[in-house]
Amino acid sequence: MAHPMNDTLNCYLAEAFEFLDIDAEQAFLLSLPNREVRCELPLRRRDGSLRVFQGYRVQHNRSRGPFKGGLRFHPDMDLAHAQVLASLMTWKTALADLPLGGAKGGINCDPHDLTLTEREALTKKFVRQIACLIGPDTDIPAPDIGTDERVMAWIYDAYSGDFGDEPAVVTGKPLELGGSPGRTQATGRGVARLTEWAAQRHGIDLAGARVAVQGFGNVGRYLCESLARQGARIVAIGSSGTTLYNGDGLPVSRMLEQAEAAENHLALTDMDVRAEQLAVDAVLTGDVDILLPAAVECVITEQNAADIRARLVVEGANMPVTAEADRLLRERDIPVVPDILANAGGVIVSYFEWVQNRQRMGWTEEQVSDALDRHLARAWKAVSRCGAEAKLSYRQAAYAVAVRRVDRAMRLRGF
């Protein structure tokens, strides 16, 4: 059964195929995953019970380089979800002009319901199942929802036990094990950078701009930090079943300190800040200049698109705006900076980590930050140029640029 995100992705791709005049056969090949894997992962729990989880890995396209994409530990993870996310990674890496393809995977578990020992055992069991399909020149996993640098360290250890020390098999690792400076912050700071450029393009002064952010996880926190540092007023943050609102701006630095002290497990409702608590969806429909959905997919739909009052929407999450909602926002002249452009900072710095591991030579955080800005700026300029020349929206232009690059690589390599 197809994932609900699949229809939205197909709409975006269909527009790109039509614009680029790609025939039906080639469009089918561009959409088709290269390989899909499902494996059973029996785990003996601490209480003696046996639980069988499912692990997934979808390798979508490798025309431009090794497969690249995150591993998600979440109860709703399934093959259909991995298919859509793997395809998204193909277009994201192509738009960022990285020599990589797209992949995605994970395990249908709730990591918070597992002990640390159980999570490690389950992770390493999964690696043993897919070890023949991953590698620094084949498929390089990375963190996603429910996974972190510790999980990546377990993957590195499990893989290296059979194939020799190979840090480049996975990215998002701890610094002590070959991780890259700036990797944890990269996605959020990248979204902030695209927000800055888009705001400037559309006449919004970021200093003093009213901003709403949905999500206060890894992406949302660094996004809020970066925008607040530039003078933006973060008036609403939505997560954990509520929206915190303060028209004068929420105390982002204090919230970040509290989250860090609680090892990022503190809910918004437990934050010691002066703010109104509103409905969880209120963050999307507030009277703001910039809206940043940076939590989960498909939160702006045809049902609530008419209620969006922001002047600019920048997608921090993967596919938070459905195809129908995107059309409705276009009709209302509300620009949307798409996910495959806005949140590409994470995979770009993952690429830098992979390069450093292959070279066995580390970069400074300043080198990483400068290189990230250059990659994002090139992608932003390519999308802006394509959109201006062909009168396309940011999303239409982003997919056109990405699909053209993958299509060209496939035709040059043959099949």
Side-chain angles (χ1 to χ4, degrees):
M1 182 178 177
H3 192 274
M5 294 168 64
N6 192 60
D7 290 341
T8 288
L9 177 60
N10 285 340
C11 286
Y12 296 154
L13 289 174
E15 288 183 324
F17 296 152
E18 181 178 1
F19 172 75
L20 297 171
D21 196 24
I22 293 175
D23 62 65
E25 287 185 347
Q26 182 68 2
F28 175 72
L29 291 176
L30 284 163
S31 303
L32 195 66
N34 181 275
R35 180 186 288 119
E36 300 174 349
V37 175
R38 167 181 162 162
C39 53
E40 308 303 316
L41 304 171
L43 179 70
R44 184 69 66 183
R45 301 296 302 274
R46 183 175 57 176
D47 61 6
S49 64
L50 180 68
R51 174 75 185 275
V52 180
F53 296 95
Q54 281 76 46
Y56 305 94
R57 189 67 174 172
V58 174
Q59 298 172 328
H60 181 260
N61 191 289
R62 61 178 182 86
S63 299
R64 291 174 50 87
F67 300 108
K68 186 80 184 78
L71 288 175
R72 179 173 296 194
F73 287 7
H74 192 279
D76 295 335
M77 189 65 204
D78 59 18
L79 191 63
H81 206 168
Q83 289 168 341
V84 178
L85 295 173
S87 179
L88 275 178
M89 283 302 302
T90 293
W91 316 121
K92 190 179 298 184
T93 55
L95 183 59
D97 206 14
L98 305 178
L100 299 168
K104 209 75 169 189
I107 302 174
N108 66 342
C109 69
D110 181 352
H112 304 298
D113 187 46
L114 301 173
T115 68
L116 189 66
T117 300
E118 289 171 338
R119 288 204 303 273
E120 180 179 358
L122 187 61
T123 300
K124 291 185 175 181
K125 189 180 290 285
F126 183 43
V127 173
R128 288 195 294 272
Q129 289 274 25
I130 65 169
C132 61
L133 303 176
I134 64 174
D137 292 313
T138 309
D139 183 350
I140 308 113
D144 201 277
I145 294 172
T147 58
D148 55 19
E149 62 179 23
R150 175 180 281 168
V151 176
M152 300 306 109
W154 293 334
I155 294 171
Y156 170 32
D157 180 70
Y159 183 86
S160 297
D162 290 330
F163 296 91
D165 187 69
E166 189 47 84
V169 68
V170 64
T171 58
K173 301 181 297 297
L175 288 174
E176 297 87 345
L177 296 178
S180 175
R183 171 60 184 88
T184 303
Q185 307 93 319
T187 304
R189 290 181 178 173
V191 177
R193 183 66 76 194
L194 266 299
T195 301
E196 176 189 348
W197 294 333
Q200 184 178 19
R201 174 72 55 83
H202 294 281
I204 300 173
D205 186 357
L206 200 55
R210 295 164 53 83
V211 177
V213 178
Q214 185 191 44
F216 204 58
N218 180 64
V219 176
R221 287 177 183 140
Y222 288 111
L223 168 58
C224 288
E225 179 186 53
S226 297
L227 292 179
R229 191 176 293 139
Q230 296 181 71
R233 281 190 295 158
I234 314 298
V235 298
I237 299 175
S239 182
S240 304
T242 191
T243 292
L244 295 186
Y245 175 81
N246 185 324
D248 295 326
L250 292 163
V252 171
S253 58
R254 192 192 315 163
M255 294 174 68
L256 292 171
E257 289 173 2
Q258 292 180 41
E260 185 176 351
E263 296 183 347
N264 296 329
H265 296 309
L266 189 66
L268 285 183
T269 50
D270 297 324
M271 290 274 180
D272 181 20
V273 295
R274 182 176 297 175
E276 296 180 60
Q277 290 193 21
L278 307 177
V280 63
D281 292 337
V283 68
L284 299 173
T285 56
D287 183 12
V288 296
D289 298 302
I290 304 170
L291 171 61
L292 296 125
V296 294
E297 64 265 10
C298 301
V299 293
I300 300 178
T301 67
E302 59 183 315
Q303 279 73 42
N304 63 1
D307 299 323
I308 302 300
R309 292 191 281 171
R311 297 165 58 191
L312 170 67
V313 177
V314 183
E315 296 183 335
N318 286 323
M319 208 175 284
V321 180
T322 67
E324 182 61 21
D326 190 65
R327 182 186 65 79
L328 293 171
L329 293 176
R330 282 205 307 267
E331 290 177 354
R332 296 177 56 205
D333 293 323
I334 298 176
V336 179
V337 181
D339 50 356
I340 62 170
L341 173 60
N343 69 22
V347 73
I348 291 172
V349 177
S350 277
Y351 165 64
F352 299 159
E353 181 177 334
W354 178 75
V355 169
Q356 292 170 74
N357 293 161
R358 300 310 300 269
Q359 295 175 332
R360 300 283 178 160
M361 181 180 296
W363 298 3
T364 66
E365 187 164 358
E366 183 179 7
Q367 287 175 301
V368 171
S369 180
D370 289 346
L372 173 61
D373 277 357
R374 288 196 300 272
H375 274 74
L376 288 174
R378 283 201 296 266
W380 169 245
K381 289 175 183 176
V383 169
S384 298
R385 184 167 54 249
C386 177
E389 292 175 353
K391 297 183 179 179
L392 301 175
S393 71
Y394 288 133
R395 190 185 313 278
Q396 291 169 327
Y399 274 91
V401 171
V403 171
R404 181 187 287 118
R405 288 173 177 172
V406 177
D407 176 59
R408 179 65 174 161
M410 285 183 68
R411 293 179 188 274
L412 287 170
R413 293 181 66 148
F415 45 85

